Amino acid sequence: MSLIVRITVRLAVVALIALAGTILWMLHATDARLQRGAEISVDRLERHWMYRPGLGSLGVTSSELLSGWTARASGSVVLPGVCIVVSTPTDPDSSLCNARDGLGGTVPAWFATLFERFAAPREAVVREVVFRGHRLGTIRASVDTQAATEQAWQQVSLVAGAAAGMAAGMCLLAWLAVAHALRPVGGIVRALRDLEDGADGPGATAARLPASGTAEFDDIARAFNDLAARLEHTTEERGRLTRRLFAVQEEERRMLARELHDEFG
């Protein structure tokens, strides 16, 4: 595997790990936000109940209490994703849900399973409403599972899509940047091949690598140029010694020839 591919793959893996961590954090954050919304909804309902006209008549039913709040359940009283159950001593439980905002779309089954597995455990918020020492009733708020899953999917799908696009762009830019940074490698390899293929030829050690502007490759270029210079000097010395050896051998042959001629003479 080439260095460019290896670096790009590692960047992609890091981006996927970061994306997975972000998604898990968003799942917990969405669940915590909805849980907080349940607490806020209980506080609002309690205030509306306490300030309701005719509160002195303790025989009011839970359905009468909720009838005036239904129109405001879209946000002013009961927050999206929260279900309210009101109980009074004179009336059984009456419920009011603002459970779905319709913005999350169809949630895949795998995401619903993932959300249920990694979301924080939800607990219902229970509040006893007491006015002037009289117990008026109980408010119970809980997070709707389907609404929580839809809201989480809405946020995760948007963030995941944007993050995936950014990760793809980052990998592409990293590929181009690394390819540009490693461009001097081709010249280094060619110079080494030329030095290997033509080690005995004329001018074989005259190759030099230019500076590339990158500190690491400039160090390699200086080391290569020093090696080539020493090799060139060694080659020149070897050539001089070879020529000197040939001259000495020729001189010895001439001396031997003269001695043989004189002996035969």
Side-chain angles (χ1 to χ4, degrees), residues 187-188 191-192 195 205-212 217-233:
I188 294 174
L192 290 173
L195 194 63
T205 58
R208 296 294 185 272
L209 289 175
S212 62
F217 290 120
D218 288 344
D219 292 339
I220 295 175
R222 283 192 293 270
F224 175 84
N225 293 337
D226 292 342
L227 176 62
R230 287 195 297 270
L231 184 59
E232 183 177 17
H233 177 72

Side-chain angles (χ1 to χ4, degrees), residues 194-207 231-232 235-236 238:
D194 293 341
L195 194 63
E196 178 185 8
D197 295 339
D200 296 329
T205 58
L231 184 59
E232 183 177 17
T235 303
E236 292 177 355
R238 185 183 62 180

Side-chain angles (χ1 to χ4, degrees), residues 20-178:
T22 302
I23 290 175
L24 292 179
W25 175 82
M26 290 181 63
L27 295 181
H28 285 281
T30 301
D31 202 59
R33 179 172 55 83
L34 289 172
Q35 188 68 25
R36 177 58 181 162
E39 298 175 359
I40 294 174
S41 299
V42 169
D43 292 337
R44 291 178 178 180
L45 282 174
E46 184 180 17
R47 286 196 299 268
H48 278 276
W49 197 346
M50 297 293 289
Y51 299 149
R52 179 181 174 83
L55 188 60
S57 175
L58 300 180
V60 63
T61 64
S62 59
S63 58
E64 291 174 346
L65 288 171
L66 292 180
S67 62
W69 298 334
T70 305
R72 291 174 291 183
S74 60
S76 62
V77 177
V78 181
L79 295 179
V82 177
C83 288
I84 294 291
V85 177
V86 178
S87 302
T88 62
T90 59
D91 194 49
D93 297 344
S94 295
S95 61
L96 172 64
C97 286
N98 189 12
R100 302 179 183 177
D101 54 13
L103 298 177
T106 302
V107 180
W110 63 267
F111 181 81
T113 303
L114 181 69
F115 182 67
E116 285 300 315
R117 177 171 299 180
F118 288 98
R122 305 184 189 95
E123 296 181 359
V125 180
V126 181
R127 183 77 52 81
E128 292 284 344
V129 181
V130 179
F131 180 74
R132 294 179 182 177
H134 297 284
R135 179 181 177 275
L136 302 182
T138 303
I139 302 175
R140 182 184 181 89
S142 59
V143 177
D144 183 77
T145 302
Q146 180 65 25
T149 306
E150 288 181 358
Q151 291 190 28
W153 172 248
Q154 175 190 355
Q155 297 185 12
V156 168
S157 58
L158 292 176
V159 172
M166 293 177 61
M170 181 182 67
C171 291
L172 178 60
L173 292 177
W175 180 288
L176 296 176
V178 173

Side-chain angles (χ1 to χ4, degrees), residues 239-256:
R240 285 195 294 270
L241 290 176
T242 302
R243 290 191 295 272
R244 177 60 179 167
L245 178 61
F246 288 159
V248 170
Q249 290 177 347
E250 184 65 25
E251 181 65 24
E252 289 180 351
R253 283 196 295 269
R254 286 197 296 269
M255 292 177 60
L256 181 60

